[in-house]
Amino acid sequence: MHPRTDLPAGTLVVGVLGAGQLARMMAEAASALGIQFKVFAQSSSESAALVVADTVVGELTDLAAVLKFAQSVDVITLDHELVPPATLTHLATSGIKVYPTSSAIEFAADKSAMRTKLQQLNAPMPNWITATDFVAASEFADKVGYPLIAKSPRGGYDGRGVWVVNDADELAQLSYPVLLEEKVKFQRELSALVVRSPHNQAVAYPIVETVQQNGICTQVLAPAPDLNDERASQAQQLALLIASELDVIGVLAVELFDTGSGALLVNELAMRPHNSGHWTQDGAVTSQFENHLRAVLDLPLGSPAMTAPKVVMGNILGGEHHDLHRGLLHCLARDPELKVHLYGKAVKPNRKVGHINLVGTDLIDLQHRIAHATDFLAGKIEE
Ligand code: ADP
């Protein structure tokens, strides 16, 4: 089936639709496992396209081009949820193995579909409604009170597509249908990351805290500080249940609100390696990228155990300095323990252009050192 005859016998071939940083980091894991890795990119300057030799450039709406690409691999996976549903359906009906499947991915691509499905599973969630018009929205507002959170069901990321609604005037200005949620008074945000294979094998990583600023994750703390074992294990069980009920193959990240008491509430789902799991590259026996590949190929999964007591991941967000490498000289010299992962993306304000991991024993110390490096690279501090 593979047009390439120059690969050693039995070589497994994975193709990814999308060529962002997640595909780029999957490529590192694929290389180590001897997996042939291909990406379908929209442009040759995308993050993964810059490093993956087997790159095809095309449009995800070009069904013939995507099918030709898919016919040259053993399994297709995705690095984002915005692949057009028609493309995924076309692949599935043409007999291509796609993980996660188009029916599972819908629950990550459409927040209203996700809320409806999780309701059936009795998963703890904020009060919510998919309001088709202002009348329905007003009734919901009367019930839960302002402020509300409004979300466009599809297409949002990093806080784009999420708005706070303070009063009826603002509610009237929304475009409908819209997903409305009560504004949860949470103390912090957590993430439960699990990986599941077609054999129904599953592993759960430790629950982490995702520290957010202005809707963007700045740091991830592993394991989540001061989360007792019982709540941590409940969150892992919930994520495993969702993975199994939604038939997710590969990584599933469940973003959670910690209100301090009671259940952890599900915010949203991602079905691909996730920013809250980047710490696993340097702080777990098996990284999320490797386990994602193992899962979609139905290989045995690797241990999710931590290799150090504490791990901190800090996102490098674009700032004023366009030349990251100059800043890196300073950071690398100042702290030789930093593990830097850059995505080869042009710097733009607040764009995630890389991340840094640090492992150790003293959480506060690790957080300070990560904050220093990421602030320096973003040009927020000068030394
Ligand atoms: P995105 O798809 O952009 O990541 P999310 O649904 O995760 O969107 O929302 C982005 C952020 O908005 C969350 O991380 C959280 O800080 C805030 N948020 C979302 N939903 C609620 C809610 N119901 N109550 C309070 N804050 C919320």
Side-chain angles (χ1 to χ4, degrees):
M1 183 160 170
H2 311 134
R4 292 191 57 162
T5 51
D6 55 342
L7 299 175
T11 300
L12 298 169
V13 187
V14 173
V16 182
L17 301 184
Q21 65 259 27
L22 301 176
R24 181 174 170 124
M25 291 185 274
M26 282 184 222
E28 289 180 37
S31 170
L33 284 176
I35 294 166
Q36 186 63 21
F37 192 76
K38 303 181 67 160
V39 294
F40 190 92
Q42 277 177 288
S43 114
S44 57
S45 62
E46 280 183 278
S47 181
L50 293 173
V51 296
V52 174
D54 254 350
T55 292
V56 171
V57 176
E59 290 299 326
L60 287 169
T61 46
D62 182 345
L63 300 184
V66 177
L67 181 60
K68 186 169 172 234
F69 172 80
Q71 281 168 337
S72 70
V73 307
D74 291 300
V75 62
I76 286 284
T77 189
L78 320 174
D79 94 331
H80 60 78
E81 285 108 4
L82 304 179
V83 175
T87 301
L88 295 177
T89 314
H90 183 63
L91 293 181
T93 52
S94 308
I96 302 292
K97 215 187 276 174
V98 183
Y99 289 136
T101 60
S102 57
S103 49
I105 203 83
E106 191 57 13
F107 300 119
D110 185 319
K111 291 178 184 177
S112 285
M114 177 271 288
R115 289 272 179 247
T116 306
K117 180 71 181 177
L118 293 193
Q119 186 123 312
Q120 291 163 6
L121 302 180
N122 281 327
M125 289 191 289
N127 280 309
W128 67 279
I129 184 181
T130 304
T132 45
D133 56 26
F134 178 65
V135 177
S138 304
E139 276 172 22
F140 179 73
D142 288 345
K143 198 172 85 182
V144 304
Y146 291 101
L148 296 173
I149 297 284
K151 298 182 179 182
S152 60
R154 300 186 84 91
Y157 66 99
D158 284 350
R160 284 169 248 203
V162 176
W163 308 273
V164 179
V165 179
N166 290 298
D167 53 37
D169 286 345
E170 289 181 12
L171 197 64
Q173 283 162 25
L174 297 174
S175 52
Y176 292 89
V178 70
L179 175 64
L180 295 176
E181 298 177 5
E182 67 170 315
K183 187 166 187 297
V184 177
K185 291 191 195 71
F186 57 82
Q187 293 183 347
R188 59 176 174 171
E189 296 188 48
L190 303 175
S191 173
L193 200 130
V194 297
V195 192
R196 180 171 172 269
S197 76
H199 256 81
N200 213 7
Q201 190 192 0
V203 294
Y205 286 95
I207 305 300
V208 299
E209 177 173 340
T210 59
V211 182
Q212 316 269 337
Q213 270 170 22
N214 305 322
I216 298 185
C217 173
T218 52
Q219 287 194 351
V220 171
L221 317 180
D226 305 320
L227 183 70
N228 72 44
D229 290 348
E230 197 187 324
R231 297 185 88 212
S233 134
Q234 276 169 3
Q236 288 178 317
Q237 293 302 328
L238 176 64
L240 289 168
L241 174 81
I242 294 173
S244 144
E245 292 289 330
L246 275 53
D247 202 11
V248 180
I249 303 298
V251 169
L252 169 73
V254 182
E255 297 180 14
L256 299 158
F257 295 136
D258 182 358
T259 56
S261 58
L264 301 168
L265 306 179
V266 176
N267 175 29
E268 71 163 344
L269 307 180
M271 288 177 202
R272 48 171 169 77
H274 189 248
N275 195 193
S276 68
H278 289 359
W279 66 272
T280 61
Q281 289 172 306
D282 300 298
V285 176
T286 317
S287 81
Q288 63 163 350
F289 300 100
E290 176 170 347
N291 261 339
H292 184 76
L293 292 174
R294 291 195 195 200
V296 300
L297 286 165
D298 207 8
L299 302 173
L301 302 180
S303 164
M306 294 184 68
T307 52
K310 311 265 190 253
V311 187
V312 175
M313 188 281 311
N315 278 322
I316 304 173
L317 300 176
E320 296 307 315
H321 296 320
H322 291 272
D323 179 354
L324 275 180
H325 288 272
R326 268 185 81 83
L328 260 189
L329 289 182
H330 175 77
C331 293
L332 297 180
R334 189 176 188 271
D335 194 339
E337 290 179 10
L338 298 178
K339 300 296 284 182
V340 176
H341 302 263
L342 296 182
Y343 308 152
K345 287 163 68 171
V347 172
K348 289 186 193 157
N350 279 332
R351 186 184 203 197
K352 285 179 190 157
V353 290
H355 66 270
I356 306 180
N357 289 328
L358 201 49
V359 305
T361 51
D362 180 344
L363 181 68
I364 302 297
D365 171 61
L366 298 179
Q367 280 195 270
H368 278 143
R369 287 158 63 197
I370 286 284
H372 177 276
T374 51
D375 283 352
F376 187 85
L377 290 170
K380 288 188 191 162
I381 53 174
E382 293 298 325
E383 60 183 305

